[in-house]
Amino acid sequence: MTERYDLVVRGERVLTTAGFQPREVGVRDGRVEALVPLGSGLSADRELDLAPDEVLLPGLVDTHVHVNEPGRTEWEGFETATRAAARGGVTTIVDMPLNSIPPTTSVEALQRKVEATEGKRHVDVGFWGGAVPGNKDELRALHDAGVLGFKCFLLHSGVEEFGHLEPDELEDYLRELATFDGLMLVHAEDSRAIDRAPHAEGDRYERFLGSRPRGAENLAIAEVIERARWTGARAHVLHLSSSDALPMIATAKRDGVRITVETCPHYLALAAEDVPDGATVFKCCPPIREAGNRDLLWQGLLDGTIDCVVTDHSPSTPDLKNLDTGDFGTAWGGVASLQLGLSVVWTAARTRGVPLEQVVRWMSERPAALAGLRDKGTIAVGRAADLVVFAPDDAFVVRPEELEHRNAITAYADRTLSGVVRRTVLAGVDVDLDQPAGRLLWRGRS
Ligand SMILES: [Zn+2]
């Protein structure tokens, strides 16, 4: 072999599109340029031999991250969020359009976002735009500016500056998106159903659960499915919690409706029965439901009804979590797990006999496809050399103060998790937390 690479990684278990294989990976100019049997003898300036307990994975792609900068940077910012991502084996994040001020609902606001990332990107960053009342005419311009798709709510979003769409408006917006094959991500809980549900005041988790019934999700998802069917547009159901909705999603997919679905680590790893009263770190919307519901979500993943697993990392400051009073009614709803997602899901998966390659497909390949990031999601010749050295049988205890995201709040404190991220490589270079090297990702160009 005369060719010389910038980096060669060698290991007995390299995750390729044909599963784990003994391989050498040759990287040049940030891309995988060779993927050959172990023993081929590729050479490079930097060579890395995996330890016997390590595997090589493609970097994870997390398409559901609320960075909140600019405007609510005290909740989370690009510096801290992308550090957490890198430490957790996530090499690409896609930022949600809300909770920052301004929300990403215009090209001007997108520009503010981009500026906010400068000098702070430890991993690659893409953006979702926001679809809110009054900005339908902005969507095309945002699409042309390079956002990867749009997010809307079907009920109050939790922040005043990001309004929600009624189902008829959703349909109207879907028709607009269909003209340029745009993607609409939907927070699918029905506002009428939530308004009529009992209020969630107080510290009892059961009462909070009753305030966000499955029926609210089911109703909203039915709307999303039918409006996608009528318009031919692409729609994506965010953070599915209600397993009741799985059969109708499966039917819609069989019918050819262009619908995809995600769920999140907390719905797969946690259960309502185990949430202590007053433990508002577990509050998120839709809520973590019962253990039986969780089992059905796993089944939905395994049978392909659910496409992917992303974190919905949505932190806030400690005061907004009402940690002192434990009042679920007014506590901020959001679970921060960007750094822990892979280990959380892997820990749960292995007890269910679900192989690691399947977990990685849900957390890397599928989210990359959802966001149209053709360069990402697998280790393959021609793709970005975003790589993670992972020790699946190693374990660690979650210490909140050791996490990189801005506020040391986590639903996983003191849990022992399987799977340690030992090294994260972005475009062929080890992530160095003193030297942010992440790029911006734009639709059609990444
Ligand atoms: Zn979210």
Side-chain angles (χ1 to χ4, degrees), residues 108-360:
E108 196 190 347
L110 176 64
Q111 196 50 43
R112 297 275 304 279
K113 271 279 183 192
V114 168
E115 287 160 12
T117 72
E118 293 304 335
K120 302 172 192 163
R121 296 187 303 265
H122 294 284
V123 300
D124 288 355
V125 178
F127 304 96
W128 300 118
V132 295
N135 87 330
K136 192 178 81 172
D137 294 338
E138 289 274 348
L139 302 183
R140 179 70 204 234
L142 275 163
H143 175 79
D144 290 342
V147 301
L148 302 171
F150 299 90
K151 177 183 194 176
C152 72
F153 278 72
L154 291 177
L155 81 173
H156 194 286
S157 71
V159 292
E160 292 305 325
E161 68 280 359
F162 198 95
H164 73 272
L165 304 181
E166 296 299 330
D168 285 344
E169 283 177 294
L170 169 66
E171 183 181 335
D172 203 27
Y173 279 53
L174 285 173
R175 274 188 215 291
E176 172 68 11
L177 293 194
T179 65
F180 49 85
D181 202 29
L183 170 68
M184 182 70 95
L185 319 175
V186 187
H187 180 122
E189 286 181 290
D190 185 90
S191 66
R192 297 157 300 174
I194 296 291
D195 287 348
R196 285 162 177 75
H199 192 64
E201 66 218 344
D203 67 355
R204 286 186 52 233
Y205 188 76
E206 200 182 330
R207 182 163 179 141
F208 167 62
L209 190 56
S211 77
R212 313 292 294 209
R214 295 181 192 212
E217 272 195 272
N218 304 342
L219 204 50
I221 291 169
E223 290 283 7
V224 176
I225 289 171
E226 298 315 316
R227 309 284 173 161
R229 191 194 307 270
W230 303 341
T231 59
R234 291 191 290 142
H236 177 75
V237 174
L238 297 160
H239 45 53
L240 178 73
S241 172
S242 169
S243 62
D244 296 357
L246 290 167
M248 65 178 164
I249 294 165
T251 303
K253 286 185 163 190
R254 275 196 297 275
D255 291 348
V257 178
R258 300 170 79 196
I259 191 148
T260 49
V261 183
E262 69 183 39
T263 190
C264 307
H266 36 278
Y267 304 128
L268 297 170
L270 306 173
E273 294 89 330
D274 303 328
V275 176
D277 286 339
T280 53
V281 289
F282 295 93
K283 178 180 174 180
C284 55
C285 299
I288 295 160
R289 304 189 192 278
E290 307 80 358
N293 182 76
R294 178 179 63 186
D295 292 343
L296 291 170
L297 291 177
W298 277 100
Q299 202 175 305
L301 273 166
L302 291 166
D303 69 22
T305 308
I306 302 174
D307 297 272
C308 52
V309 180
V310 292
T311 62
D312 192 7
H313 178 78
S314 187
S316 72
T317 47
D319 57 312
L320 294 177
K321 271 300 207 183
N322 293 352
L323 298 176
D324 46 350
T325 64
D327 181 3
F328 281 101
T330 54
W332 175 253
V335 172
S337 61
L338 185 51
Q339 189 172 335
L340 300 173
L342 174 58
S343 299
V344 167
V345 177
W346 169 232
T347 301
R350 69 187 318 183
T351 66
R352 292 171 183 267
V354 176
L356 180 59
E357 51 265 50
Q358 182 65 270
V359 169
V360 175

